[in-house]
Amino acid sequence: MDKIDSLEITVTPPVAEKQPQIFELHGDKRIDNYFWMRDRDNPKVIAYLEGENAYTQAMMQHTEGLQTQLYEEMLSRIKETDLSVPYRKDEYYYYSRTEEGKAYPIYCRKKGNLDAPEEVLLDQNEMSQGHDFFSIGVLQVSPNHQILAYSVDTSGSERYTLYFLDLNTHQLYPETIPDTYFSLAWTNDNQTVFYTKLDVANRPFQVFRHTLETSVDEDVLIYHEPDDSYYLAVGKTRSQEYILMHLGSKITSEVHYLDANNPKGNFQIIQPRTTGIEYDVDHHSDYFYIVTNEEAINFKLMKTQVASPGKENWQTVIPHREDVMLSGISLFANHLVIYERKDGLPVARVQNLTTDQEHNITFPEPTYSFFEGSNPEFHTTTLRIHYTSLITPPSVFDYDMETLERELKKETEVLGGYDRTQYQSEKLMAPAPDGTQIPISIVYKKSIKKDGKNPLYLTGYGAYGASYPASFSSNRLSLLDRGIIFAIAHVRGGGEMGRKWYEDGKFLHKKNTFTDFIACAEYLIAEGWTTSHASAISGGSAGGLLVGAVMNMRPDLFKVVVADVPFVDVVTTILDTSLPLSAMEWEEWGNPNDKVYYDYMKSYSPYDNVEAKDYPDTLITAGLNDSRVKYWEPAKWTAKLRELKTDNNILLLKTNMGAGHSGASGRYESLKELAFEYAFVLDRLGLTACEQKQSYG
């Protein structure tokens, strides 16, 4: 009898009260016994969540030593007092730094050179005092570097309050603006900003213009988007010449522009929206450059004169290609950087706008991730990029677009003697039921033998066309050093293999996401990497939907499941237009008001398909203030699983009562949450003995 089994004698899980709520649509009747959990003001709801938390704590009490060990391991690898690589904007170098014992970054700058005195812009550690949760949203300095616009969320709801700080006096301006979102743009007069406001469903739906030192009541509404499926964002071109207002649904775009030197002017439209047509805009001299999917599923690059931006004037720069996805572009005074995905990997090339000569930026590893860093300067030949892989710690490079020289500015230091030569990463391909080859990124200790007995941790996402990055995690070493193989299933619904990869995992093809994941798990077992009795899977948000659906389809294939803030009540949520995951999501999952989509979504919705059968050991997490996946989805799912499952396996719900979708905000609390999840996985896989940990070197 293990420790959890012995605890079951005295520890009883909470049993949620059943209050049947009947939903009828398309002649179909659904009964939701736990719909009442939506009422946060009902004392029974908080009591149930706290009861589950108490049960979880009791059932995990015997792992507290392991949790502490994992936390200390992970913390010991982090250089607590550290400095980001400064980036230059005009006369200033901006950077952030961390200090040992402090949970949050400190934002700083130096003027002229890196030997100049440090100026602290914001110290989040001081600002976060008195708050259980603290997050910075917007952080933008005015063009003259004299005023800092920043926004703060102290609940995890992602509703930010906007502030303005005079960097000469370090006094706040009198005005504060509540209920803002992540985007903001300064105009060139250093007195005017454009910002977005949220509606009751947390959708950025309005753009306002604010003039410093004036009442917020006087702010001018620039644009209101009435369509619930669209969201708004504002930004500024690197050329500093235009403010761009981007309106987008999941499948359609519309962009408006304004001369950044004329803040009280009128925004002009580039091309009116056409359903299914997406486009993004950047600026260079007399041209707008436009990345669009019009008659180009993998996107193409066009350009047009600023004076005549309509679609009828667009000229092709890079045509559509079936085998390469155009992910985006970046424009500098003399260079165009082109970001693409080819053969499942991100790639880049640089074009000299004067000579039209091109060259590729190449990377040596079989699976990796890279993205553009902070490049605020337009007139530069230096491109900052961030690179990482499953065995290479995050690395910052400055790449000279003229000389092609690549300078490593910093590789994140992993304390404790990390030796990457002890680890191996590979890219595998697993056959799906329809014959499609699904990429798997995998990493493991070289001492591993493919004897079919290794523990394996498989994760995935597969939604919104987002590619799951094959990136390094020093925390993950706590798994690898205990002999666990880590793998990412790059399933359809993501964007790894191009836009069609995404299209083949959404709408009425959504089940490909789940069957791809199952196929990857079966392949890893068949190839001798692991066994179903030693397999753990995890996923968060839409990845939580993935593991939830897979649990229903093949509960026999896995020993352990971790579902973080899982989107599992698909039909009910997307039918409720008062929620963030509703009308905006119809273009990802389908509109269940249409019977075809209703029937299909109901057939895979994890909550609707819980049955009386055996399920794996399961840990489910939630955030009480989560604005994306409401706390009641994981809570209801837990209650229904507990009611119907026929096994004696462990089912735990852990709700963070003071955070939102991303969990705890401070780095130490975040590590503790991860240590808890790792301890659950290790405990359920039987890998809790201290001697299981292998040392470096």
Side-chain angles (χ1 to χ4, degrees):
M1 179 180 291
D2 68 19
K3 292 179 182 177
I4 282 189
D5 292 333
S6 63
L7 271 170
E8 289 187 76
I9 298 169
T10 55
V11 180
T12 305
V15 176
E17 183 179 320
K18 294 167 70 171
Q19 299 179 17
Q21 176 87 22
I22 298 174
F23 295 98
E24 292 191 57
L25 187 64
H26 306 305
D28 180 60
K29 182 184 291 186
R30 289 182 303 127
I31 299 175
D32 187 348
N33 290 321
Y34 305 107
F35 187 77
W36 62 271
M37 291 187 183
R38 291 166 55 105
D39 184 5
R40 183 169 168 171
D41 295 328
N42 182 345
K44 289 183 179 180
V45 172
I46 300 301
Y48 171 71
L49 297 177
E50 290 177 340
E52 286 283 3
N53 278 350
Y55 174 69
T56 294
Q57 184 177 3
M59 297 300 283
M60 288 290 286
Q61 186 175 1
H62 69 285
T63 71
E64 287 179 358
L66 176 61
Q67 291 178 49
T68 300
Q69 180 186 346
L70 288 165
Y71 172 77
E72 290 175 352
E73 279 177 29
M74 293 189 285
L75 186 61
S76 72
R77 299 188 192 105
I78 296 171
K79 190 175 182 182
E80 292 189 69
T81 300
D82 204 1
L83 186 73
S84 70
V85 181
Y87 64 86
R88 180 173 176 167
K89 174 64 175 164
D90 301 325
E91 292 182 282
Y92 289 89
Y93 290 87
Y94 289 90
Y95 59 96
S96 64
R97 59 180 176 82
T98 54
E99 294 181 3
E100 184 174 353
K102 295 185 177 181
Y104 296 96
I106 301 166
Y107 294 102
C108 310
R109 71 179 180 184
K110 294 183 177 182
K111 186 176 182 180
N113 60 68
L114 292 174
D115 295 322
E118 176 180 89
E119 178 186 356
V120 174
L121 305 180
L122 288 181
D123 185 342
Q124 285 192 71
N125 302 287
E126 295 178 0
M127 299 166 69
S128 65
Q129 290 182 13
H131 301 289
D132 292 332
F133 182 95
F134 190 85
S135 175
I136 294 284
V138 164
L139 191 73
Q140 287 195 32
V141 177
S142 60
N144 66 1
H145 303 270
Q146 301 304 301
I147 307 159
L148 176 65
Y150 70 92
S151 62
V152 170
D153 169 23
T154 56
S155 72
S157 66
E158 298 184 72
R159 299 182 79 89
Y160 290 83
T161 299
L162 183 61
Y163 300 88
F164 300 94
L165 179 67
D166 186 320
L167 294 177
N168 292 312
T169 65
H170 271 261
Q171 297 296 308
L172 283 170
Y173 281 74
E175 64 267 32
T176 61
I177 307 176
D179 297 322
T180 65
Y181 206 48
F182 289 106
S183 64
L184 176 139
W186 283 97
T187 62
N188 291 338
D189 68 353
N190 300 292
Q191 291 295 306
T192 309
V193 296
F194 293 94
Y195 64 90
T196 53
K197 290 276 279 187
L198 294 166
D199 65 10
V200 293
N202 265 43
R203 176 179 70 98
F205 76 126
Q206 292 176 328
V207 172
F208 281 87
R209 183 181 70 224
H210 174 74
T211 303
L212 288 179
E213 295 186 284
T214 66
S215 169
V216 175
D217 295 335
E218 298 174 17
D219 286 0
V220 178
L221 176 62
I222 299 300
Y223 190 89
H224 173 99
E225 177 53 61
D227 190 328
D228 287 344
S229 64
Y230 279 76
Y231 52 91
L232 289 172
V234 288
K236 194 176 188 182
T237 61
R238 184 180 284 123
S239 66
Q240 303 296 301
E241 293 189 33
Y242 290 97
I243 307 294
L244 298 179
M245 178 170 63
H246 186 278
L247 295 76
S249 73
K250 300 294 181 185
I251 62 171
T252 306
S253 307
E254 182 177 286
V255 180
H256 301 235
Y257 66 100
L258 173 71
D259 185 339
N261 292 307
N262 184 21
K264 294 188 177 178
N266 295 318
F267 277 86
Q268 305 295 315
I269 196 167
I270 287 183
Q271 175 62 32
R273 67 187 72 171
T274 301
T275 300
I277 304 301
E278 299 172 63
Y279 70 94
D280 280 316
V281 177
D282 203 347
H283 169 256
H284 189 281
S285 61
D286 295 330
Y287 289 91
F288 285 129
Y289 281 70
I290 299 164
V291 176
T292 180
N293 70 338
E294 186 185 27
E295 298 181 354
I297 188 171
N298 274 335
F299 291 82
K300 61 187 177 183
L301 179 61
M302 315 294 283
K303 73 175 183 179
T304 185
Q305 293 273 352
V306 170
S308 51
K311 186 175 67 176
E312 65 276 7
N313 301 306
W314 294 3
Q315 304 167 349
T316 301
V317 178
I318 300 174
H320 174 258
R321 293 149 297 166
E322 293 290 341
D323 61 336
V324 180
M325 165 97 169
L326 177 59
S327 304
I329 63 165
S330 195
L331 281 162
F332 297 86
N334 294 312
H335 297 90
L336 165 66
V337 185
I338 303 154
Y339 296 106
E340 299 168 329
R341 290 199 71 91
K342 186 174 183 180
D343 298 327
L345 292 171
V347 293
R349 53 197 172 105
V350 178
Q351 182 183 102
N352 186 304
L353 292 172
T354 304
T355 65
D356 286 335
Q357 290 184 325
E358 278 191 11
H359 63 270
N360 296 324
I361 303 176
T362 58
F363 304 99
E365 297 183 82
T367 180
Y368 58 83
S369 176
F370 87 94
F371 57 93
E372 184 174 310
S374 295
N375 290 291
E377 300 228 294
F378 188 61
H379 296 278
T380 182
T381 63
T382 300
L383 172 70
R384 175 156 294 173
I385 55 176
H386 292 248
Y387 175 85
T388 180
S389 77
L390 293 173
I391 62 174
T392 301
S395 306
V396 179
F397 289 93
D398 277 353
Y399 180 81
D400 192 308
M401 295 182 282
E402 285 290 337
T403 67
L404 281 56
E405 292 178 359
R406 190 180 319 195
E407 180 186 0
L408 177 63
K409 303 298 289 187
K410 178 180 181 178
E411 180 178 286
T412 299
E413 189 175 353
V414 182
L415 303 183
Y418 170 65
D419 179 3
R420 75 191 69 194
T421 64
Q422 290 195 40
Y423 303 85
Q424 181 75 39
S425 69
E426 295 184 39
K427 181 181 173 186
L428 311 174
M429 302 298 282
D434 63 2
T436 302
Q437 295 292 309
I438 313 301
I440 303 172
S441 295
I442 192 167
V443 62
Y444 53 91
K445 203 85 181 271
K446 283 184 178 178
S447 56
I448 290 294
K449 296 177 182 177
K450 286 175 61 176
D451 56 7
K453 299 176 183 178
N454 299 300
L456 184 139
Y457 189 105
L458 178 66
T459 189
Y461 188 72
Y464 304 109
S467 299
Y468 200 120
S471 55
F472 183 83
S473 166
S474 64
N475 300 327
R476 192 185 299 137
L477 296 173
S478 289
L479 300 180
L480 300 180
D481 290 347
R482 286 173 170 82
I484 295 179
I485 297 166
F486 178 84
I488 304 166
H490 300 288
V491 294
R492 281 174 285 187
E496 284 86 345
M497 301 291 283
R499 183 59 175 238
K500 191 173 186 301
W501 197 253
Y502 169 41
E503 303 284 352
D504 286 347
K506 66 183 290 194
F507 290 144
L508 300 176
H509 302 294
K510 187 62 206 170
K511 289 183 184 177
N512 282 337
T513 304
F514 317 134
T515 54
D516 285 358
F517 192 85
I518 290 169
C520 289
E522 291 177 328
Y523 173 83
L524 290 167
I525 292 170
E527 291 295 306
W529 291 99
T530 189
T531 169
S532 60
H533 303 298
S535 291
I537 61 173
S538 78
S541 197
L545 164 64
L546 165 60
V547 297
V550 165
M551 272 175 66
N552 285 329
M553 296 167 71
R554 288 295 305 277
D556 60 302
L557 199 53
F558 311 102
K559 170 64 177 158
V560 186
V561 176
V562 177
D564 288 312
V565 292
F567 170 43
V568 286
D569 192 12
V570 181
V571 179
T572 304
T573 292
I574 295 185
L575 278 170
D576 187 347
T577 55
S578 71
L579 299 175
L581 281 172
S582 55
M584 289 173 66
E585 301 294 320
W586 290 348
E587 292 173 346
E588 173 73 20
W589 315 97
N591 184 350
N593 291 297
D594 180 331
K595 186 178 187 305
V596 173
Y597 283 103
Y598 174 91
D599 290 343
Y600 189 77
M601 293 162 74
K602 184 186 174 188
S603 73
Y604 68 74
S605 169
Y607 183 66
D608 290 296
N609 288 281
V610 175
E611 297 175 324
K613 62 185 178 187
D614 289 359
Y615 283 93
D617 292 312
T618 304
L619 170 64
I620 299 167
T621 71
L624 185 63
N625 300 324
D626 194 335
S627 62
R628 303 191 189 199
V629 178
K630 294 294 188 178
Y631 70 88
W632 60 74
E633 289 203 40
K636 287 168 49 178
W637 187 40
T638 302
K640 191 171 183 180
L641 280 167
R642 203 179 297 291
E643 173 196 352
L644 293 177
K645 74 190 192 76
T646 56
D647 56 81
N648 292 318
N649 292 328
I650 303 305
L651 171 62
L652 302 179
L653 171 65
K654 184 173 187 281
T655 303
N656 189 321
M657 305 298 282
H661 196 64
S662 300
S665 55
R667 58 176 173 169
Y668 300 112
E669 291 304 313
S670 296
L671 278 184
K672 288 175 183 175
E673 287 188 346
L674 184 59
F676 183 93
E677 292 190 11
Y678 278 7
F680 177 80
V681 171
L682 293 169
D683 181 64
R684 294 292 80 204
L685 291 179
L687 298 173
T688 57
C690 292
E691 60 267 24
Q692 288 287 343
K693 181 177 182 302
Q694 303 170 30
S695 61
Y696 296 133

